[in-house]
Amino acid sequence: MNHYKLLTPGPLTTSETVKAEMMIDRCTWDDDYKVITRKIRTRLLELAGADESAYTSVLMQGSGTFCVESVITSSIGKEDKALILTNGAYGERIVRIAQMAGIAHTEFKFAYDGHPDEAKLRAVLEADPALTHLVLVHCETTTGILNPLDQASRLAEEYGKILIVDAMSSFGGVEIDVPALGIDFLISSANKCIQGVPGFGFVIARRDLLEACNGRSPSLSLDLYDQWRVMEADGKWRFTSPTHTVAAFSKALDELEEEGGVAARNSRYAENNRRLRERMEAAGFRPYISADKQSPIITAFRYPDENFHFDAFYDYLKEEGFVIYPGKLTDEDTFRIGNIGEIYPADIERLCGLIENYGGVMA
């Protein structure tokens, strides 16, 4: 495979130094490796602004969806009921998880390009006192929309609901003060804004609520409480961990700090996104999400006309060193361009120059 830059929401382009960490083989039970695990767990709490007396972090093997399923099935009991907010494929995936697990839930569906209507959301919360959990995807990479976390936070506190936030594509690239927002469970992944590689996800959780998950999970592998219990004891993972990915993530955390932390990374991502939207609109591609709701992570663009052929466009850009994403909407033809990872404004300028010079775009 040729080298190219991934303009996706993860996996993404990583630094050479992060990749170099994977050239060493490590033992998952070794004390030096346990030190790496402990460092990661501590650093994640620091990024979340969370004190370890009230919060803890758990690492879980697998893709981000493994982590989401672990939280949903471990934290929502048979006597509970979840209100799941959806405006994209990843919220809908959480609904599917709840269905498969037999978890009582209500789906609050709203427009792919919109935010939830607060009055309608309040009406649902007030009409169903059985609801115990509120679940939201912060950045829906289906479209690139950034959903209103502050609204979910206020309503969860006001109505006394446990707040679960899928921050898969935002944590580390958008500042999230977990205690201030009253987030009870936050879920993210190694291969997103912290700029590691795929292999595990992580959960930042309130200690008391995580302790209440004891014995609740119907799964052995995805039992969040048991994973935490073993990891908390001495830094071990219950089962074989992705050692190369863990070492790479530790290095990625160092590089996030060297860049200036989440605020600095957010600034770079936001500038990438600003330039991308501006140049793409000038080239005839309209963003699907309005600027006030756009995340600095990934942008969905509408096809310019009925003659546009995405596959040819994709192949052209790949030949020139960039890989983009197809669309995921069902109601409109779109494609997506991410701008996180080791991507800088100069990369965006070069990409957009290629797009402007692509003779077949408007044919």
Side-chain angles (χ1 to χ4, degrees):
M1 295 179 67
N2 294 325
H3 290 288
Y4 44 70
K5 296 201 172 185
L6 294 174
L7 299 180
T8 67
L12 38 69
T13 297
T14 57
S15 69
E16 293 302 316
T17 42
V18 164
K19 285 189 269 284
E21 288 295 311
M22 295 186 289
M23 300 304 293
I24 301 171
D25 298 319
R26 293 171 170 86
C27 173
T28 189
W29 290 82
D30 185 75
D31 286 342
D32 290 340
Y33 180 71
K34 292 176 189 175
V35 168
I36 297 174
T37 298
R38 292 192 196 99
K39 167 200 165 180
I40 289 171
R41 294 181 64 215
T42 298
R43 186 71 183 110
L44 289 173
L45 290 180
E46 292 170 355
L47 291 176
D51 189 277
E52 63 179 358
S53 64
Y55 290 84
T56 188
S57 60
V58 193
L59 315 182
M60 178 68 70
Q61 299 94 322
S63 71
T65 300
F66 282 58
C67 248
V68 172
E69 185 161 353
S70 175
V71 170
I72 296 299
T73 56
S74 296
S75 68
I76 305 174
K78 294 179 180 178
E79 71 284 1
D80 296 325
K81 185 177 183 181
L83 178 60
I84 306 171
L85 280 56
T86 67
N87 65 334
Y90 298 96
E92 291 164 3
R93 185 177 294 176
I94 296 174
V95 171
R96 182 64 175 149
I97 289 169
Q99 290 171 339
M100 294 286 290
I103 291 171
H105 65 281
T106 294
E107 180 181 5
F108 184 91
K109 196 175 184 70
F110 51 105
Y112 280 161
D113 61 349
H115 285 167
D117 181 282
E118 185 163 329
K120 292 179 180 178
L121 191 48
R122 284 180 178 278
V124 172
L125 287 164
E126 291 171 1
D128 191 351
L131 292 168
T132 55
H133 293 65
L134 181 62
V135 187
L136 172 75
V137 176
H138 186 207
C139 176
E140 249 298 352
T141 55
T142 302
T143 60
I145 196 168
L146 197 65
N147 284 320
L149 188 50
D150 56 343
Q151 179 194 67
S153 169
R154 282 188 290 102
L155 293 176
E157 181 179 18
E158 182 177 342
Y159 289 93
K161 309 305 177 188
I162 293 172
L163 180 58
I164 299 174
V165 177
D166 176 340
M168 202 66 59
S169 296
S170 58
F171 187 78
V174 176
E175 293 195 78
I176 302 174
D177 188 325
V178 168
L181 288 164
I183 298 172
D184 298 303
F185 294 90
L186 178 142
I187 312 156
S188 193
S189 178
N191 60 295
K192 302 291 185 175
C193 294
I194 296 176
Q195 300 185 180
V197 300
F200 74 95
F202 55 86
V203 180
I204 295 166
R206 268 180 47 188
R207 281 183 177 269
D208 58 339
L209 293 177
L210 183 52
E211 288 169 351
C213 296
N214 185 10
R216 186 175 286 165
S217 175
S219 167
L220 173 65
S221 298
L222 299 181
D223 187 333
L224 186 67
Y225 171 84
D226 205 44
Q227 182 87 344
W228 171 71
R229 179 187 62 81
V230 174
M231 196 167 281
E232 188 82 344
D234 72 347
K236 292 200 301 277
W237 299 58
R238 281 185 304 160
F239 310 122
T240 302
S241 65
T243 54
H244 300 80
T245 296
V246 172
F249 188 72
S250 177
K251 181 63 175 177
L253 283 168
D254 294 340
E255 294 184 359
L256 173 60
E257 185 174 357
E258 291 164 7
E259 186 171 351
V262 176
R265 185 152 292 177
N266 176 264
S267 179
R268 171 163 64 88
Y269 288 172
E271 178 61 15
N272 285 346
N273 190 262
R274 184 193 66 78
R275 293 188 186 206
L276 176 67
R277 285 176 61 99
E278 185 178 274
R279 292 282 299 271
M280 290 292 285
E281 287 191 76
F285 294 91
R286 291 183 299 124
Y288 184 81
I289 300 297
S290 61
D292 62 313
K293 298 181 180 69
Q294 174 67 52
S295 75
I297 309 300
I298 188 169
T299 307
F301 294 97
R302 293 178 168 91
Y303 285 13
D305 57 41
E306 65 278 5
N307 296 315
F308 176 74
H309 299 289
F310 174 76
D311 289 346
F313 184 58
Y314 176 94
D315 290 342
Y316 162 73
L317 292 177
K318 186 175 179 180
E319 282 291 321
E320 296 293 338
F322 293 103
V323 169
I324 64 173
Y325 247 28
K328 211 174 180 78
L329 293 171
T330 57
D331 62 343
E332 192 164 346
D333 289 328
T334 62
F335 63 89
R336 295 172 289 168
I337 300 179
N339 53 254
I340 63 175
E342 281 293 294
I343 301 297
Y344 295 85
D347 298 308
I348 299 299
E349 295 295 342
R350 180 170 174 267
L351 169 78
C352 292
L354 290 168
I355 290 172
E356 289 165 355
N357 292 329
Y358 178 58
V361 168
M362 306 301 290

